[in-house]
């Protein structure tokens, strides 16, 4: 039948089902586009004009079906996916001939669910929460739910319920927090309650999972991350989010409540290291929470938080995950953690040691001194002789640790702590020798910190360039101790003197390079053997062969500093290049999950074109059965995903659909993941897109480009990107050194600053 009550009603026509189930054409002679099932269960065929709005389509359907209630009480959903039909996806539903259902409007659904939440009737509460998990993701429903004070009702449920009912409520809250509005009234009491739930030994796994995700979302809702202009309260204060914004929480809000509830952080870390296979599905969320805390920790709590993580030995848990058989689902999270530890290490290395201002620095130095069992004296010039006895060049601790910072102090302190008696014995043994034969232990310790930092490229805090696991790097202090033992042994076996310090450093550098090869597959006992059991002559012979092929110039401090600067510049250059590729866009195959068995659900279209907008905020795309010429701009790309919604990029996750493999007629029920595939996952671990690149370069451009767009910069995925950064650094270094080597300019191993001016009666020759 067709409507005659509205001038535009003929644009939506209906044809009812016949008794035998066949579908006649509509009375207008037009071919119907979609089946529509009413609330009463009647199925009709309708021809829907794609130029109409959803409100117009619903209104005309109600007129044609002679529905007496207002059309604003109804909405359309996809019968198969239960997805709400909106103006954004209406054309797609018509094109795909989706079977639609006429259902209650979001305003009606929201009102009913809020009412049921307030009643607390056990018979309806759980089912209402189960529905809320799904509906809260829809913007119209979420707006109505928040406007009807549904958030407070949901919070009250979380305060009082437990078991599966609590799990449903927390998941609904987690889904609501995917929106950037509606939950700005959550207070410290709510955060503390979620922390308590997470810390309780009685909480079910399906309760801990959304609780952890909620805390992660709160950490990331930092005023620094607010979209658009940020209003600062003063030049010295952190930015303040606009009134009503959800970006008002951040690390401080969550960590303060975790400090109140003893054992909360321990619970998260212990689940990471648990051997319980039931925990395997939840380790990703736990690792994502830790990564989020690491990425957003503020200066006020940095030392405390990092010290707490070190006390809980979170690195050991991450190393265990690296060797776990379930690591496939955690690779991206563990690499993110590894990149975060690179940033932590870099910050420690660039933080000055100031015993006069930092009690922790003073106590660490005092521990080292007390463990040496050496007495302070005066030298022949009447100057204090204390730290020089341990192998420092001077008595100025600030200057001695200037290049290695707190990282150097931590490494020396850990070396002493491992075996205080050995440390004392070595110090006293060196002091018993003639001064020119004494091994400068403290200076050697700092030099090894530099060698390891150079090996692991602890130069740029932007992001890690490693594409593989580095378990030895996570054991930085232990590797430092092994290398320092090696240094002391080489010094003794070679009968070195003070002038030979650089030569022993070169031997150690050579051994570090060899011992730390293939660390992603090398067992720890082999590393120990390489450092502790190797012979001096063998190391020396190998080093001589290396010197024939290398230039000693590269080992000098000014050149190492230049390399550090060039590494940062190269990383920034490659980052801009990768993001430029995203701005240009590319075609990808829509993949399918290899976990699907039996009948494989094919994507709606074989191809997807994706392009980043100029504001770096959205990833726009269009699905198509075939490639076509995409115009510049975003006119041809009707769909989009928010970049902020992408929590991680996982690789090797999907396979080409059957229709993409023209040469394979019979496919196995389980498909093999393509090495050029990647998936974009949100905070709920739902996939926003499963794509397969057409070539290796495109895969590297997009996986690394998307990672670099993340606020914490993520990690490098491809060897290609890591290789570009390394190659650019080496080329730049050679170019910079050409003039010096061509003119045979001697580069000193280090520069010593002269004494400060005795007064202020001077000026700089070159203006700033």
């Amino acid at each position: 039948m067709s409507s005659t009550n509205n001038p535009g009603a003929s644009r939506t026509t209906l044809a009812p089902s016949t008794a035998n189930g066949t579908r006649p054409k509509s009375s207008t002679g037009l071919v119907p586009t979609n089946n529509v099932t009413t609330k009463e269960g009647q199925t009709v065929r309708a021809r829907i004009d794609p130029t109409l709005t959803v409100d117009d389509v619903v209104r005309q359907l109600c007129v044609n079906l002679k529905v007496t209630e207002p059309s604003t009480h109804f909405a359309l959903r996809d019968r198969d996916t239960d997805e709400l039909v909106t103006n954004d996806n209406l054309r797609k539903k018509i094109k795909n001939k989706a079977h639609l259902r006429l259902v209650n409007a979001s305003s009606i659904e929201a009102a009913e669910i809020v009412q049921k939440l307030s009643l607390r009737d056990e018979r309806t509460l759980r089912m209402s929460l189960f529905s809320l998990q799904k509906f809260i993701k829809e913007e119209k429903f979420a707006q109505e739910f928040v406007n009807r004070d549904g958030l407070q009702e949901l919070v009250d449920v979380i305060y009082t319920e437990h078991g599966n009912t609590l799990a449903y409520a927390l998941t609904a809250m987690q889904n609501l927090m995917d929106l950037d509005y509606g939950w700005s009234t959550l207070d410290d009491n709510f955060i503390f309650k979620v922390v308590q739930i997470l810390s309780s030994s009685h909480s079910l796994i399906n309760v801990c999972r959304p609780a952890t995700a909620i805390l992660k979302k709160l950490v990331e809702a930092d005023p620094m991350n607010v979209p658009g202009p940020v209003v600062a309260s003063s030049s010295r204060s952190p930015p303040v989010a606009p009134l009503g914004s959800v970006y008002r929480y951040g690390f401080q809000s969550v960590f303060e409540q975790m400090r109140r509830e003893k054992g909360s952080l321990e619970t998260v870390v212990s689940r990471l290291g648990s051997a319980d296979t039931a925990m395997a599905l939840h380790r990703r969320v736990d690792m994502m929470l830790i990564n989020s805390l690491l990425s957003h920790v503020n200066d006020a709590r940095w030392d405390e938080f990092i010290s707490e993580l070190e006390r809980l030995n979170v690195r050991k848990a991450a190393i265990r995950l690296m060797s776990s058989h379930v690591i496939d689902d955690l690779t991206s999270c563990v690499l993110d953690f590894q990149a975060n530890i690179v940033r932590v290490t870099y910050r420690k290395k660039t933080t000055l040691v100031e015993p006069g201002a930092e009690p922790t620095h003073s106590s660490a130095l005092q521990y080292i001194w007390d463990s040496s069992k050496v007495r302070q004296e005066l030298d022949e010039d009447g100057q204090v002789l204390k730290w020089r006895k341990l192998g420092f060049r001077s008595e100025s601790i600030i200057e001695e640790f200037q290049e290695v910072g707190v990282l150097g102090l931590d490494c020396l302190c850990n070396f002493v702590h491992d075996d205080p008696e050995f440390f004392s014995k070595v110090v006293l043994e060196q002091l018993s020798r003639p001064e020119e034969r004494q091994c400068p232990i403290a200076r050697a310790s700092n030099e090894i910190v530099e060698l390891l930092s150079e090996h692991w490229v602890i130069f740029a805090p932007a992001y890690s360039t490693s594409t593989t696991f580095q378990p030895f790097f996570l054991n930085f202090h232990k590797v430092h101790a092994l290398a320092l033992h090696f240094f002391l042994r080489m010094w003794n076996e070679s009968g070195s003197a003070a002038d030979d310090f650089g030569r022993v450093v070169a031997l150690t550098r050579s051994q570090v390079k060899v011992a730390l090869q293939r660390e992603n597959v090398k067992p720890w006992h082999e590393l120990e053997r390489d450092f502790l059991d190797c012979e001096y002559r063998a190391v020396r012979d190998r080093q001589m062969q290396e010197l024939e092929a290398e230039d000693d110039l590269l080992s000098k401090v000014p050149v190492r500093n230049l390399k550090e600067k060039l590494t940062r510049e190269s990383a920034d250059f490659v980052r801009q290049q990768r993001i430029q590729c995203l701005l240009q866009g590319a075609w990808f195959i829509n993949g399918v999950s290899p976990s699907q068995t039996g009948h494989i659900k094919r994507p709606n279209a074989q191809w997807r074109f994706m392009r980043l907008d100029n504001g770096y905020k959205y990833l726009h795309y269009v699905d198509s059965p075939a490639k076509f010429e995409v115009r510049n701009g975003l006119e041809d790309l009707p769909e989009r995903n928010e970049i902020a919604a992408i929590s991680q990029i996982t690789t090797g996750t999907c396979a080409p659909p059957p229709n993409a493999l023209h040469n394979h007629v019979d496919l196995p029920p389980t498909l093999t993941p393509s090495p050029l595939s990647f998936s974009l996952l949100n905070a709920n671990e739902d996939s926003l897109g499963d794509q397969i690149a057409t070539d290796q370069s495109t895969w590297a451009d997009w996986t690394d480009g998307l990672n670099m767009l993340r606020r914490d910069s993520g990690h490098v995925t491809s060897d290609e990107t890591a290789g570009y950064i390394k190659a650019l650094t080496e080329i730049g270094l050679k170019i910079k050194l050409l003039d010096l080597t061509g003119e045979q300019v001697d580069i000193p191993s280090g520069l010593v600053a002269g004494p400060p001016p005795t007064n202020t009666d001077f000026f700089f020759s070159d203006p700033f």
Side-chain angles (χ1 to χ4, degrees), residues 290-460:
I290 291 175
N291 282 333
S292 186
L293 290 167
L294 279 168
S295 299
H296 295 85
V297 57
N298 55 23
D299 291 340
R301 295 293 183 189
W302 195 89
D303 288 330
E304 179 184 354
F305 177 64
I306 298 302
S307 297
E308 184 68 4
L309 283 183
E310 299 291 6
R311 183 185 69 81
L312 296 174
N313 213 346
V314 68
R315 299 188 188 213
K316 183 177 180 181
I319 292 171
R320 186 180 293 114
L321 289 177
M322 289 179 176
S323 58
S324 171
H325 65 283
V326 295
I327 191 61
D328 289 346
D329 293 335
L330 292 163
T331 299
S332 179
C333 291
V334 174
L335 285 174
D336 280 347
F337 174 79
Q338 186 172 281
N340 277 320
I341 297 300
V342 169
R343 298 182 190 99
V344 169
T345 307
Y346 179 84
R347 174 161 174 165
K348 285 187 174 184
K349 187 173 183 291
T350 54
T351 300
L352 294 178
V353 174
E354 299 177 295
E358 295 291 340
T360 54
H361 299 178
S362 178
S363 60
L365 288 166
Q366 189 62 45
Y367 172 74
I368 293 170
W369 176 254
D370 292 342
S371 299
S372 71
K373 299 179 182 179
V374 176
R375 292 184 180 181
Q376 178 178 315
E377 300 174 357
L378 296 178
D379 62 15
E380 53 190 30
D381 296 326
Q383 302 297 318
V384 173
L385 181 59
K386 178 180 179 180
W387 296 113
R388 283 176 288 169
K389 284 191 170 187
L390 302 188
F392 290 110
R393 284 177 168 173
S394 70
E395 296 297 326
S396 174
I397 286 297
I398 296 177
E399 291 183 10
E400 293 298 325
F401 284 104
Q402 187 169 8
E403 296 298 325
V404 294
V406 174
L407 178 64
L409 177 60
D410 286 349
C411 285
L412 181 57
C413 193
N414 275 274
F415 177 79
V416 175
H417 186 269
D418 286 344
D419 194 342
E421 291 298 325
F422 174 79
F423 176 69
S424 175
K425 177 183 176 181
V426 171
V427 170
L428 294 173
E429 179 185 343
Q430 299 305 316
L431 291 175
S432 67
R433 298 177 179 180
E435 185 175 350
E436 67 275 6
R437 290 289 179 181
Q438 294 175 10
C439 175
I441 303 171
R443 186 179 162 202
S445 173
N446 287 349
E447 192 65 36
I448 289 170
V449 171
E450 285 280 20
L451 294 181
L452 296 179
S453 298
E454 180 183 357
H455 175 80
W456 281 311
V457 198
I458 313 298
F459 293 154

Side-chain angles (χ1 to χ4, degrees), residues 238-257:
V240 178
L243 185 65
S245 171
V246 298
Y247 292 93
R248 53 180 293 267
Y249 301 100
F251 174 87
Q252 187 76 11
S253 299
V254 174
F255 189 60
E256 284 300 322
Q257 305 311 315

Side-chain angles (χ1 to χ4, degrees), residues 578-594:
R578 292 298 192 230
I579 292 177
Q580 189 62 38
C581 291
L582 271 60
L583 293 170
Q584 293 176 358
W587 282 101
F588 299 89
I589 298 173
N590 282 318
V592 296
S593 171

Side-chain angles (χ1 to χ4, degrees), residues 166-167 170-172 174 194 205-215 285:
L166 176 59
L170 289 170
T171 303
Q174 175 191 352
V194 177
I205 294 176
N206 61 341
V207 170
C208 293
R209 186 183 180 93
T212 306
I214 288 172
L215 293 180
V285 179

Side-chain angles (χ1 to χ4, degrees), residues 346 349-350 402-404 450 453-454 458-460 509 553-569 729 733 736-737 747-751:
Y346 179 84
K349 187 173 183 291
T350 54
Q402 187 169 8
E403 296 298 325
V404 294
E450 285 280 20
S453 298
E454 180 183 357
I458 313 298
F459 293 154
R509 176 184 286 106
L553 183 68
L554 299 178
S555 66
K556 294 191 175 182
V557 174
V559 178
R560 294 207 313 249
N561 293 338
L562 175 61
K563 185 177 181 181
E564 175 182 342
K565 177 176 178 289
L566 292 174
T567 299
R568 290 197 297 268
E569 293 177 353
T729 301
L733 185 61
K736 293 282 188 182
L737 294 177
I747 299 178
S749 296
L751 295 176

